[in-house]
Amino acid sequence: MATSEPRRSTLGMVLLALLMEAPMHPYRMQQMIKERGQDQLVNVAQRNSVYQALDRLVRDGLARPGGTAREAGRPERTIYEITEEGTATMRRWLTGMLPAPAREFPEFPAALAFLPVLPPAQVRELLEKRVKALTEKAAGIREQAPAGLPRLFLIEDEYRVAMLDAEVKWLRGVVADLAEGSLTWSAELIAETLERFPPGS
């Protein structure tokens, strides 16, 4: 039994949620994650990722082997089940994650911090491409939603679309400012700004 709070991970949480539904083997977990579109929430591109995360849950006492099963034409597979501590931990993780924003380090804000490295015209072109990509991504999520499925089971997709729509709206404003020249920069402007606001000032 783990003596301290297990390290929280989104993949671990997804696996615990699946085991709360029913005992299953790792391959089935990976299948269900993809079938439900949850591979947009967690990275399961490599098959090993599910097995490694499940091993960690077992080491932490959150899941345990619960027997084996054999399907026609398939090798024997270990079935896993959630423990009482796993259920309690899942609930603690959720009550911690829902109210408090996580300290995350996404790439895009970091890229925005270094826009002066590129010329304004190139930045405008690149951001226009991002607008197109995000718009298509949001449309894809909307199209994949099964008709008649209760909102509760689509809430994470609803959030993702809302965030994508908000970013697209903001980006279009930035692109417009770049187009009309109200947002621009030059080597002279950067040098002048650094002189007025030196690092550490």
Side-chain angles (χ1 to χ4, degrees):
M1 184 64 65
T3 56
S4 59
E5 181 69 14
R7 182 170 63 86
R8 189 171 76 196
S9 77
T10 50
L11 179 53
M13 186 178 70
V14 169
L15 298 182
L16 287 178
L18 289 173
L19 292 178
M20 288 177 78
E21 294 181 25
M24 65 186 75
H25 54 73
Y27 180 71
R28 179 59 184 146
M29 293 181 198
Q30 189 169 34
Q31 282 182 313
M32 290 184 70
I33 288 170
K34 291 181 177 178
E35 287 168 6
R36 295 177 177 183
Q38 292 176 335
D39 55 339
Q40 301 299 309
L41 305 177
V42 292
N43 185 0
V44 291
Q46 296 186 354
R47 181 180 296 182
N48 254 3
S49 56
V50 168
Y51 290 90
Q52 290 169 354
L54 188 57
D55 285 344
R56 189 161 51 248
L57 294 176
V58 171
R59 287 197 307 270
D60 289 337
L62 308 183
R64 62 179 169 235
T68 58
R70 184 188 295 276
E71 300 171 9
R74 299 285 185 179
E76 189 173 71
R77 291 191 171 108
T78 301
I79 300 291
Y80 290 85
E81 59 188 19
I82 195 166
T83 64
E84 287 185 15
E85 181 57 29
T87 300
T89 298
M90 174 66 171
R91 289 180 175 138
R92 283 198 305 274
W93 284 354
L94 273 176
T95 56
M97 293 169 74
L98 288 172
R103 190 164 179 255
E104 298 171 329
F105 302 94
E107 288 184 347
F108 187 55
L112 290 174
F114 301 107
L115 289 187
V117 171
L118 300 175
Q122 185 180 7
V123 169
R124 176 187 169 190
E125 180 183 340
L126 294 171
L127 293 184
E128 285 172 341
K129 289 180 179 179
R130 186 178 182 91
V131 166
K132 183 174 184 292
L134 294 180
T135 302
E136 290 173 354
K137 187 174 183 179
I141 296 171
R142 288 187 177 98
E143 290 168 5
Q144 290 171 4
L149 190 64
R151 184 183 179 197
L152 173 64
F153 299 99
L154 296 169
I155 199 76
E156 72 274 18
D157 286 343
E158 181 182 311
Y159 170 80
R160 288 168 57 216
V161 168
M163 295 301 102
L164 290 169
D165 287 346
E167 183 174 336
V168 165
K169 180 180 179 181
W170 179 82
L171 281 169
R172 284 179 173 149
V174 173
V175 168
D177 290 343
L178 286 164
E180 69 182 25
S182 60
L183 173 62
T184 190
W185 55 90
S186 63
E188 294 76 14
L189 175 65
I190 293 168
E192 179 186 333
T193 303
L194 288 175
E195 184 178 341
R196 291 182 58 201
F197 304 97
S201 63

